[in-house]
Amino acid sequence: MADFDYDVLVIGSGPGGYVAAIRAAQLGLKTACAESRETLGGTCLNVGCIPSKALLNASELFHEASSGALAKHGVKLGSVELDLPAMLADKDDAVKGLTGGIEFLFKKNKIDWLKGLATFVDAHTVEVAGKKATAKNIIIATGSSVTPLPGVEVDNDKGIIVDSTGAIALKKVPEHMVVIGGGVIGLELGSVWKRLGAKVTVVEFLDQILPGMDGEVRKEANKLFKKQGFDIKTSTKVTGVAVKGKKATVSVEPAAGGAGETIEADVVLVAIGRKPNTDGLGLDKIGLETNKRGQIETGHDFSTKVDGVWAIGDVIPGPMLAHKAEDEGVAVAENIAGLTGIVNHDVIPSVVYTHPEIAGVGLTEEAAKEKGAVKVGKFPMLANSRAKAIKDTDGFVKIIADADSDKVLGVWIVASPAGTMIAQAAQAMEFGASSEDIAYTCHAHPTHNEAVKEAAMAVTGKPIHI
Ligand code: FAD
Ligand code: NAI
């Protein structure tokens, strides 16, 4: 057998890549990870999950303090000021702490960080910064980047037409932000700047925001965001953006065609999806092709069709989510080590971290009905004692169960802590729970999660509190 520099070489240090590297090292494999960024952690830690959540939290605090919303709890404040540079510095500090933490974990686990862009030379060799490194197994975890909108050129330095990376670093609060794309990024980052004082218009091509989510949840979200003051233009397409001086003019028209209009904005956020990163990897050198969507196809064990080459995370099919990438990172390392690493792709929760949060796991009601008869139980947060006590009652819990077996097929939650609440649903589904199992599980009182129990009670019988 040939001698290799490493047992495992991971390309990319995002949540997929760094987790795969750590698990491989934990399993006794000699491991390296190539990363071209200045810091480890990929999109998620540097410009994605972490900075966006830091800003969502800080902007919510500002909004609560400045809007007078705290007065209803008996907290009266004098004048409230926004210190945007301090807020951005706090976000940068969170990023620094977490990316530095990965560097510490790499050292602790004796993982070599190969600094630079990795390109395949052959299936067991990559070149990084002019040096070749060989490995018995190479894991592609190169992640994704922003999908460009033809004719709309992003320039994050200028700060007028930006993508998510530009939108987490704006130097001042825009008067009017136009968001192209009513998906997760548009609504999360639109919420940040809305709370800090911007007018926000969301232009969405489809007839509803948040594609992929349960129909009722999408409708409820649309209603709640409009109530918060978002201007949401669905079934509308952007045909161009012209920048003159410090202003942008966004041209839009109905998606089905018809008379157009223009919208003046000082910041335009392009958030129409993300595409897998495979350019410059040299996949042709190893005879690996991508599918029509630019993704690398793998088997259930995350092996590609090239022996010794594996792929995980945003670069392969499935939801582009950090926790999916992480779980695949653990599984691929275990498979390489000869164990059995499995990810149940039917039970991957997704969360939109707005206020309220919006979360789901499993099938939507629409998708479940296509497979067979279902029973649905719903419970409004308005009837949940904890939500009532803290005067934060928007949303509901919805449970979709198989009509015959009662097995839970999907759970959808709109509630301020929906992202935390959804974990119990994911665990129940992972254990193959029926709605009755959830209904007869004792839930602590008063908690938001009691709404999950009551929604489960609503599937077959009657909830107590409505
Ligand atoms: P990435 O995190 O994209 O990491 C890939 C890394 O590989 C990058 O650092 C890149 O520099 C490096 N790389 C690429 N090519 C090479 C090469 N040839 N050589 C060396 N290095 C290379 N997901 C959630 O679950 N929750 C959230 O709250 C959330 N919020 C988000 C907010 C924003 C604004 C964005 C943009 C994304 C968010 N996501 C969130 C999605 C999440 O960031 C991704 O799903 C996740 O980062 C994917 O992990 P990954 O390891 O596949 O790739
Ligand atoms: P998205 O796929 O969530 O939403 C993009 C939206 O843009 C869709 O609604 C789509 O219909 C619309 N669109 C596409 N082309 C358009 C056009 N020309 N004009 C108007 N609208 C158009 O993508 P987004 O928001 O860019 O996020 C990318 C990915 O990043 C997400 O899919 C998600 O996987 C990940 N992410 C996850 C987060 C989380 O888990 N909380 C937060 C942020 C991002």
Side-chain angles (χ1 to χ4, degrees):
M1 194 180 69
D3 264 351
F4 297 107
D5 299 330
Y6 297 100
D7 297 314
V8 176
L9 191 156
V10 188
I11 307 178
S13 73
Y18 86 71
V19 168
I22 291 173
R23 178 56 114 221
Q26 286 172 341
L27 292 168
L29 300 170
K30 190 171 180 223
T31 306
C33 180
E35 173 56 60
S36 53
R37 271 179 215 272
E38 302 276 298
T39 46
L40 298 171
T43 305
C44 177
L45 274 67
N46 286 283
V47 291
C49 328
I50 297 306
S52 61
K53 266 78 255 179
L55 285 179
L56 277 157
N57 182 61
S59 61
E60 180 63 16
L61 293 175
F62 174 75
H63 177 69
E64 282 185 6
S66 63
S67 66
L70 295 178
K72 67 182 179 220
H73 302 293
V75 181
K76 282 198 177 167
L77 295 168
S79 72
V80 174
E81 256 179 77
L82 173 65
D83 183 348
L84 185 59
M87 197 179 274
L88 294 176
D90 190 43
K91 172 229 18 167
D92 292 340
D93 193 51
V95 169
K96 199 168 157 215
L98 283 157
T99 56
I102 306 300
E103 203 170 334
F104 165 80
L105 289 173
F106 270 24
K107 283 188 187 135
K108 183 180 159 202
N109 287 286
K110 302 191 172 45
I111 297 163
D112 289 342
W113 173 6
L114 311 180
K115 295 186 182 180
L117 202 71
T119 312
F120 277 104
V121 175
D122 60 47
H124 294 286
T125 313
V126 295
E127 189 172 313
V128 185
K131 281 196 198 142
K132 289 197 173 75
T134 61
K136 189 171 180 201
N137 297 281
I138 297 182
I139 303 172
I140 303 172
T142 47
S144 64
S145 46
V146 177
T147 304
L149 181 58
V152 181
E153 208 164 308
V154 166
D155 185 339
N156 286 332
D157 291 333
K158 266 199 191 148
I160 299 175
I161 303 180
V162 297
D163 58 24
S164 54
T165 301
I168 55 168
L170 296 178
K171 299 216 163 43
K172 72 187 226 311
V173 179
E175 258 173 58
H176 187 192
M177 172 183 255
V178 170
V179 179
I180 309 179
V184 195
I185 291 182
L187 295 167
E188 286 189 359
L189 295 181
S191 290
V192 165
W193 295 105
K194 172 109 205 25
R195 292 166 188 173
L196 298 182
K199 170 178 160 56
V200 176
T201 302
V202 176
V203 182
E204 167 57 51
F205 184 78
L206 299 176
D207 61 359
Q208 191 55 279
I209 57 171
L210 292 173
M213 295 212 140
D214 183 85
E216 246 181 310
V217 167
R218 294 172 76 186
K219 242 193 245 161
E220 178 77 3
N222 190 52
K223 193 182 86 191
L224 290 173
F225 289 124
K226 280 192 169 158
K227 199 169 92 182
Q228 288 173 19
F230 278 84
D231 185 1
I232 300 179
K233 295 183 186 301
T234 48
S235 304
T236 305
K237 67 178 174 206
V238 171
T239 52
V241 181
V243 175
K244 203 169 173 197
K246 292 198 158 47
K247 293 272 173 200
T249 304
V250 184
S251 301
V252 299
E253 62 181 52
E261 58 170 315
T262 57
I263 311 170
E264 301 294 315
D266 33 16
V267 173
V268 178
L269 165 58
V270 181
I272 59 163
R274 294 178 62 82
K275 61 178 179 58
N277 287 333
T278 53
D279 287 354
L281 247 186
L283 292 183
D284 51 322
K285 299 271 176 47
I286 59 169
L288 192 56
E289 281 174 4
T290 54
N291 67 16
K292 274 193 204 135
R293 305 189 62 195
Q295 298 155 327
I296 297 173
E297 301 271 358
T298 70
H300 288 303
D301 59 354
F302 307 103
S303 62
T304 68
K305 74 177 182 55
V306 178
D307 224 24
V309 177
W310 312 71
I312 55 167
D314 280 10
V315 80
I316 72 169
M320 288 179 162
L321 295 172
H323 41 282
K324 175 224 177 225
E326 288 187 54
D327 286 7
E328 291 176 349
V330 169
V332 74
E334 292 181 349
N335 288 329
I336 288 171
L339 306 173
T340 309
I342 295 171
V343 176
N344 180 1
H345 286 102
D346 292 336
V347 184
I348 308 267
S350 64
V351 181
V352 188
Y353 295 87
T354 46
H355 187 97
E357 292 179 347
I358 301 160
V361 60
L363 297 178
T364 61
E365 184 176 345
E366 296 77 20
K369 277 182 172 159
E370 272 175 29
K371 293 183 180 237
V374 298
K375 296 175 296 186
V376 175
K378 252 181 92 177
F379 188 79
M381 294 312 293
L382 191 61
N384 171 265
S385 57
R386 179 66 173 270
K388 270 182 99 69
I390 64 169
K391 296 194 165 52
D392 190 8
T393 52
D394 282 338
F396 58 79
V397 177
K398 171 174 176 176
I399 297 186
I400 302 144
D402 184 276
D404 293 328
S405 67
D406 191 36
K407 187 174 174 187
V408 177
L409 303 173
V411 178
W412 294 89
I413 306 178
V414 180
S416 52
T420 307
M421 292 164 73
I422 201 71
Q424 91 159 98
Q427 188 150 52
M429 286 176 67
E430 194 61 54
F431 289 175
S434 62
S435 77
E436 192 183 44
D437 289 329
I438 299 177
Y440 282 100
T441 298
C442 186
H443 286 60
H445 175 77
T447 58
H448 290 91
N449 286 69
E450 285 174 289
V452 178
K453 177 187 168 93
E454 296 250 25
M457 291 170 98
V459 172
T460 41
K462 286 270 309 149
I464 300 297
H465 293 96
I466 46 170

